Amino acid sequence: MLHFEHINILGINFTKITENQLIKSLIDDHKHKKNRFIVTANPEIVLAARKNKEYQKIINHADYVTADGIGIIKGANILNTPLPERVTGFDTMLKLLKYSNKNKCKVYFLGAKETIIKDTIINVQKDYPDIIISGYHNGYFKNPDPIIKDIKQKQPDFIFVALGFPKQDYFIEKYREISNSIWMGVGGSFDILAGNINRAPEFWINHHIEWLYRLIQEPKRFIRMLALPKYLLLIYKEKFKQKK
Ligand code: UDP
């Protein structure tokens, strides 16, 4: 990982970084044509990585691992190793799209269902007219070879991979060497960009109940959200161990 300090939370090394610092650092990376991999990790990802050491290794191999979600910030506070703030995948992606628009960067979009990726591209073209869309593909492919060939040939500045975790992280780790780009896993972000799912209004975000807003929109997420109490329990166990 890079020169930023790290905080270990249940086996994942989080980068001690604010959103502004991250964007600044990524712009610098872009200017120097660096190959970068960003993970925005939430409690679900931390739990998944605890169960699967290979996945944990992949995440800890990323260049930046940010705290996506209030659960990570809370966990870090409980363990007395605070992280500065939440840095979400969606907000980071929007900032990078804005930068790409200003600087006419080449951007590649990979992931989500065919209709979603198509709408994502339409909206990006509308809102960021100066971005050069290097290419795009839905996230339901059997053979990655044509996509890899395309990315290799186009050498985009930024590559957003929306395959959900852990798929997107395995994909990036496996293929990042084919192009010196800024690679980032963005989960369900294309569903929001496409207008398929609404982002929580600011009130919900500021009151740390964005998760509740998502749950109301997508009730099938309930089972996934049970990860949060499980995660907090592990955090308290860890704290107890530290005290002994
Ligand atoms: N997805 C995909 N290919 C797959 C599995 C999932 O492209 O094989 C997409 C899915 O359509 C959705 C995103 O990955 O757009 C995952 O969204 P989710 O909300 O689960 O991600 P989160 O933000 O919670 O990580």
Side-chain angles (χ1 to χ4, degrees):
M1 282 220 236
L2 304 171
H3 51 278
F4 293 96
E5 239 186 278
H6 298 117
I7 299 297
N8 190 289
I9 300 183
L10 304 177
I12 294 296
N13 288 323
F14 281 86
T15 316
K16 216 173 166 183
I17 200 167
T18 64
E19 189 182 273
N20 277 339
Q21 286 170 334
L22 175 68
I23 300 297
K24 233 172 118 188
S25 188
L26 288 173
I27 290 174
D28 197 56
D29 291 339
H30 169 246
K31 286 188 177 143
H32 292 92
K33 275 253 150 247
K34 300 278 190 205
N35 185 306
R36 292 289 183 251
F37 172 18
I38 310 145
V39 174
T40 61
N42 59 20
E44 246 188 302
I45 292 180
V46 171
L47 289 190
R50 259 177 94 83
K51 275 208 189 131
N52 178 344
K53 292 294 160 204
E54 193 194 349
Y55 185 44
Q56 187 177 65
K57 214 166 122 193
I58 287 174
I59 295 184
N60 283 337
H61 199 214
D63 301 293
Y64 305 89
V65 182
T66 75
D68 192 344
I70 193 65
I72 301 296
I73 300 294
K74 283 235 151 71
N77 284 338
I78 293 167
L79 295 172
N80 287 325
T81 49
L83 284 162
E85 64 181 2
R86 282 181 68 190
V87 182
T88 70
F90 187 70
D91 289 321
T92 306
M93 182 182 74
L94 288 190
K95 294 242 161 91
L96 293 177
L97 287 176
K98 203 167 153 195
Y99 168 81
S100 298
N101 191 45
K102 212 165 143 195
N103 295 280
K104 301 189 166 50
C105 298
K106 292 184 283 180
V107 184
Y108 199 100
F109 298 83
L110 173 64
K113 293 185 187 129
E114 182 65 13
T115 53
I116 300 288
I117 183 74
K118 285 232 164 89
D119 286 346
T120 298
I121 297 302
I122 290 170
N123 288 344
V124 168
Q125 277 169 334
K126 192 170 75 204
D127 296 340
Y128 308 93
D130 290 328
I131 283 183
I132 300 164
I133 294 172
S134 271
Y136 64 90
H137 200 285
N138 69 56
Y140 296 87
F141 48 86
K142 285 219 171 68
N143 176 11
D145 295 352
I147 299 168
I148 299 311
K149 207 174 144 203
D150 197 26
I151 292 176
K152 203 169 171 178
Q153 192 199 340
K154 308 252 179 71
Q155 297 287 306
D157 297 290
F158 296 93
I159 304 174
F160 296 114
V161 184
L163 302 175
F165 84 88
K167 242 187 189 172
Q168 59 198 22
D169 309 300
Y170 278 94
F171 185 92
I172 295 174
E173 170 75 9
K174 186 163 178 196
Y175 295 113
R176 62 185 283 195
E177 295 309 328
I178 63 167
S179 176
N180 280 334
S181 312
I182 311 284
W183 297 74
M184 180 166 153
V186 294
S189 294
F190 294 174
D191 294 272
I192 304 175
L193 265 190
N196 185 42
I197 285 176
N198 294 322
R199 180 106 203 266
E202 231 161 79
F203 174 87
W204 300 68
I205 296 177
N206 293 341
H207 287 79
H208 306 309
I209 47 172
E210 188 176 359
W211 59 272
L212 182 62
Y213 187 87
R214 288 191 81 171
L215 183 62
I216 293 165
Q217 283 204 82
E218 294 175 89
K220 64 175 192 295
R221 294 185 82 88
F222 179 72
I223 297 287
R224 286 180 57 175
M225 282 184 178
L226 292 177
L228 195 63
K230 210 167 154 192
Y231 160 86
L232 281 174
L233 196 72
L234 286 172
I235 291 278
Y236 279 110
K237 264 193 189 156
E238 186 68 30
K239 188 177 170 73
F240 187 66
K241 252 204 288 182
Q242 279 179 1
K243 271 197 177 156
K244 274 211 276 190

